[in-house]
Amino acid sequence: MAGYLVDDQRKVTTHRLIQMKAEGKKIAMLTSYDYTTASITDGAGIDVILVGDSASNVMAGNWTTLPITLDQMIYHAKAVVRGVKRALVICDMPFGTYQVNETEAVSNAIRIMKETHCDALKLEGGVEILPAVKKILDAGIPICGHLGLTPQAINKFGTYSVRAKEEAEAQKLISDAHALEEAGCFAIVLEKIPAKLAERVSKELTIPIIGIGAGGGCDGQVLVIADMLGMTQGFSPKFLRRYADLHTIMTDAIGRYVEDVKEGDFPNENEQY
Ligand code: KIV
């Protein structure tokens, strides 16, 4: 089966995403971390590919996103960009590369853009990182914000549970979202917050709100590709819909290969020179 038939094969831009929201068209976004997966994802009709720092978890096996480095994110983003023709490619700025001061933030942002040729960057946080956000935007680099559950702050929260359930945190999230829009961000990811709150933010803002565990009232959705393809196991949050069971498919295929090699069935006469 082919992917989703997209009527517009032109490269997706940040401007186009804002237009899609205005036209009531939903935005589909997934993560990718390598060339092959990115080219399949792009060919299947995705609008946005996020080179997420979740690479730290699903590619490198770390417990959190904190250990991934700028060099490692650049390596992943370069590979993804080579595989993409249509989708907008956003690269996460990893933990520690934009929190120290605005000058360091903008020089790290410029390095990612120069070396990877990605289209935009994503940073986690609200008013606390606004000076860095403004400086990066001033350099002509588009930014997607990220509020709600911000995994780079896991050691501060101490848990991956739903954020902004209480009024004070919900109010802060709303004012952070407005501040990011006013600063010039082209989109915001809202992670693991009540659906009603995400819907309210989506209605109040003109830039697209992309949800993950934030309900159907958002302007688009994002998932980690290894989770939605069923490659990962033992991670089953309520919001995750698995579209395949690649863990079983891959285990079965690899098991049959091992058996064929051990029994001398592979390679056969047609599979050699
Ligand atoms: O790193 C990532 O994959 C993300 C998504 C969960 C939005 O930030």
Side-chain angles (χ1 to χ4, degrees):
M1 198 173 84
Y4 182 78
L5 197 62
V6 280
D7 45 16
D8 190 345
Q9 286 297 332
R10 284 174 305 166
K11 171 86 183 162
V12 178
T13 60
T14 56
H15 179 75
R16 174 82 188 112
L17 294 181
I18 294 168
Q19 223 180 340
M20 282 172 79
K21 170 165 179 152
E23 292 166 3
K25 292 183 181 154
K26 295 270 189 184
I27 297 162
M29 170 163 154
L30 279 174
T31 66
S32 289
Y33 318 102
D34 67 277
Y35 169 83
T36 305
T37 312
S39 56
I40 295 170
T41 308
D42 186 52
I46 205 78
D47 299 307
V48 185
I49 292 183
L50 170 66
V51 187
D53 58 359
S54 51
S56 177
N57 308 92
V58 294
M59 293 286 107
N62 292 309
W63 275 103
T64 72
T65 57
L66 275 70
I68 200 157
T69 65
L70 187 59
D71 285 345
Q72 287 164 343
M73 286 303 296
I74 287 173
Y75 170 83
H76 286 295
K78 272 171 140 171
V80 165
V81 168
R82 281 186 217 114
V84 173
K85 291 193 179 83
R86 177 182 173 273
L88 182 95
V89 179
I90 304 176
C91 180
D92 264 342
M93 288 195 73
F95 175 66
T97 61
Y98 57 95
Q99 293 92 343
V100 177
N101 60 53
E102 302 97 90
T103 311
E104 206 173 292
V106 75
S107 86
N108 286 330
I110 288 171
R111 193 176 153 217
I112 299 175
M113 298 303 288
K114 265 191 183 294
E115 293 185 27
T116 72
H117 302 177
C118 72
D119 304 303
L121 303 177
K122 178 164 79 58
L123 280 70
E124 295 182 8
V127 287
E128 308 78 14
I129 60 152
L130 214 51
V133 165
K134 286 182 176 158
K135 192 92 179 158
I136 295 169
L137 287 166
D138 282 349
I141 300 170
I143 294 183
C144 174
H146 184 155
L147 299 170
L149 175 62
T150 46
Q152 291 179 13
I154 184 59
N155 293 316
K156 183 172 147 195
F157 297 144
T159 161
Y160 285 105
S161 55
V162 179
R163 305 296 313 173
K165 278 159 99 177
E166 306 302 329
E167 187 57 21
E169 198 182 340
Q171 285 305 329
K172 173 163 170 25
L173 186 142
I174 293 166
S175 68
D176 280 345
H178 279 281
L180 290 173
E181 173 167 75
E182 274 156 32
C185 289
F186 72 88
I188 299 174
V189 166
L190 291 184
E191 181 164 354
K192 224 171 172 187
I193 63 164
K196 278 207 173 115
L197 175 60
E199 188 175 0
R200 175 174 168 189
V201 176
S202 305
K203 282 189 176 143
E204 284 186 16
L205 270 58
T206 54
I207 58 170
I209 301 301
I210 314 293
I212 172 163
C218 299
D219 306 303
Q221 299 293 326
V222 56
L223 285 175
V224 169
I225 196 154
D227 296 333
M228 61 82 76
L229 290 178
M231 294 173 87
T232 49
Q233 287 194 311
F235 177 66
S236 309
K238 192 176 170 184
F239 67 78
L240 175 61
R241 187 180 294 179
R242 291 196 193 276
Y243 285 83
D245 180 6
L246 285 200
H247 192 278
T248 302
I249 291 170
M250 289 173 77
T251 305
D252 176 62
I254 294 164
R256 285 188 290 113
Y257 166 75
V258 172
E259 196 180 334
D260 286 354
V261 170
K262 299 227 178 249
E263 290 182 3
D265 283 348
F266 176 79
N268 64 25
E269 279 189 3
N270 296 326
E271 291 164 332
Q272 58 196 0
Y273 300 100

